[in-house]
Amino acid sequence: MSSSNSVTVQILDKEYSIICPPEERNNLVSAAHYLDSKMREIRSSGKVIGADRIAVMAALNITHEMLHRQEDRSAAPAGGATREQVRDLLDRVDQALSDETGTKKN
């Protein structure tokens, strides 16, 4: 993939460049904004300290919300696809956090 497929998003005051297909660009930006707002919400509560822990708590909260929505829509045929999308987003967050940690150590 070329750099033209790279999207830069800002989450909790840090920039992340993520490669994604052009047709997924808007969804990725929306997901990043949503994640950023959840992480800011958790950070402002003062109960969780550290970007890694805040990210994990945000991921758990978002996943919990998603599972509740799925239960509410018991007739939803695309439940497996939604779970796969969430897993993909969580993998991207994990990768971005791993990249950040690796950069700090160097």
Side-chain angles (χ1 to χ4, degrees), residues 1-11 14-33 35-36 88-100:
M1 290 194 161
S2 68
S3 62
S4 64
N5 291 336
S6 179
V7 178
T8 301
V9 295
Q10 191 165 6
I11 301 171
K14 295 188 188 238
E15 286 191 354
Y16 300 93
S17 291
I18 302 168
I19 295 174
C20 75
E23 64 273 11
E24 289 296 321
R25 183 182 202 101
N26 290 335
N27 288 338
L28 176 61
V29 170
S30 294
H33 285 300
L35 177 60
D36 181 59
D88 183 46
L89 288 173
L90 290 173
D91 288 344
R92 289 181 187 188
V93 169
D94 287 341
Q95 183 62 45
L97 289 172
S98 295
D99 291 347
E100 175 188 339

Side-chain angles (χ1 to χ4, degrees), residues 10-90:
Q10 191 165 6
I11 301 171
L12 211 57
D13 303 323
K14 295 188 188 238
E15 286 191 354
Y16 300 93
S17 291
I18 302 168
I19 295 174
C20 75
E23 64 273 11
E24 289 296 321
R25 183 182 202 101
N26 290 335
N27 288 338
L28 176 61
V29 170
S30 294
H33 285 300
Y34 188 72
L35 177 60
D36 181 59
S37 70
K38 287 295 184 183
M39 289 179 70
R40 288 178 184 281
E41 185 180 303
I42 291 166
R43 182 176 68 180
S44 69
S45 75
K47 296 178 182 178
V48 181
I49 298 173
D52 290 352
R53 291 175 188 238
I54 291 171
V56 169
M57 291 305 297
L60 287 171
N61 287 337
I62 292 168
T63 303
H64 183 259
E65 290 172 7
M66 183 215 51
L67 292 174
H68 262 319
R69 286 185 188 133
Q70 280 184 343
E71 288 173 7
D72 293 343
R73 288 185 269 142
S74 59
T82 303
R83 283 189 183 152
E84 191 59 37
Q85 288 172 334
V86 170
R87 283 189 199 116
D88 183 46
L89 288 173
L90 290 173

